[in-house]
Amino acid sequence: MRGQDIESRAVKGSAEDAYAIEERERNWISWLVPVVVAANVAMFVVVMYFNNCPKRIRSSGDDHKCVARFLGRFSFQPLGENPLFGPSSSTLERFGGLNWDKVVHQHQGWRLISCIWLHAGLIHLLANMLSLVFIGIRLEQNFGFVRIGIIYLLSGFGGSVLSSLFIRNSISVGASGALFGLLGAMLSELITNWSIYTNKVAALLTLIVIVVINLGIGILPYVDNFAHIGGFLTGILLGFILLPRPQFAWLARHNPAAGIRGVTPKYKGYQYVLLVVSLALLIVGFSVALVMLFRGVNAYERCHWCRYLSCVPTSKWNCDAT
């Protein structure tokens, strides 16, 4: 009993040390997120340079005028064609926009990744990059660039796969799937590390409200909510796999200043369960989705009501027309 009391006091007394260790572990310098933002901006500039709206308008004989013509070849397509102040859809397709026919029938699977580095317009780019800075820098500071980079890329890929299963007749671009993956990872990180947080319920409700609002926006026309959902689900599973935090007792035992010895599991039992289940679901989910995609399966035939996850028709718009 005396040994247990000493150990208990030592663990409690080293709580501050454990917090200090945790703070040191998550005191990463965020460089990946700024690099990703710079890469997206640079890609948008390159796309606009090759789009060359004035030349495109002259060659097509269109009476519409480019927007912001003082920018020269960087000017935007007419708002009637692209209301987001960006290039033409053909230019986006040329640079790797997601197109079901090219992925499935022309074996251009690389578009499942390339599309997340493209944006439909300046408004689209600014909205996504501001969201990435707001969400991504905090996560990278806490967990490092490797884990956040994996979540970002795989979530973007997952969003592209689900989008391709449902949407066939349009070009899809944007980092929204990857961003929703980071949101999903934040949610699963909060759940798997539940015991170390204060104000748990408030944090959980706030995050859920943010996710619901963003997914709600996705049911509007012209927004690819399937990319959002695919990225979000992928991010949740990756968060359970990559973002669990060690127990305080384990941290204290590995702190030389605490002077505590013994065997303590690094993670709690439920964290291991969530990790294993999530890894299995991720492997199975990606395998099934990719097989369906490259076999040309139309997911709407398997799930007729799923169309309402991306667009809900109202008296103001017709989802079939968009």
Side-chain angles (χ1 to χ4, degrees), residues 16 79 105 144 185 225 227:
E16 293 183 0
L79 295 182
H105 294 141
N225 211 28

Side-chain angles (χ1 to χ4, degrees), residues 148-181:
I148 300 309
I150 291 173
I151 292 172
Y152 185 85
L153 289 175
L154 284 183
S155 296
F157 178 74
S160 297
V161 171
L162 190 64
S163 176
S164 297
L165 284 171
F166 286 94
I167 299 176
R168 295 191 171 192
N169 300 319
S170 64
I171 304 296
S172 180
V173 295
S176 299
L179 291 172
F180 268 81

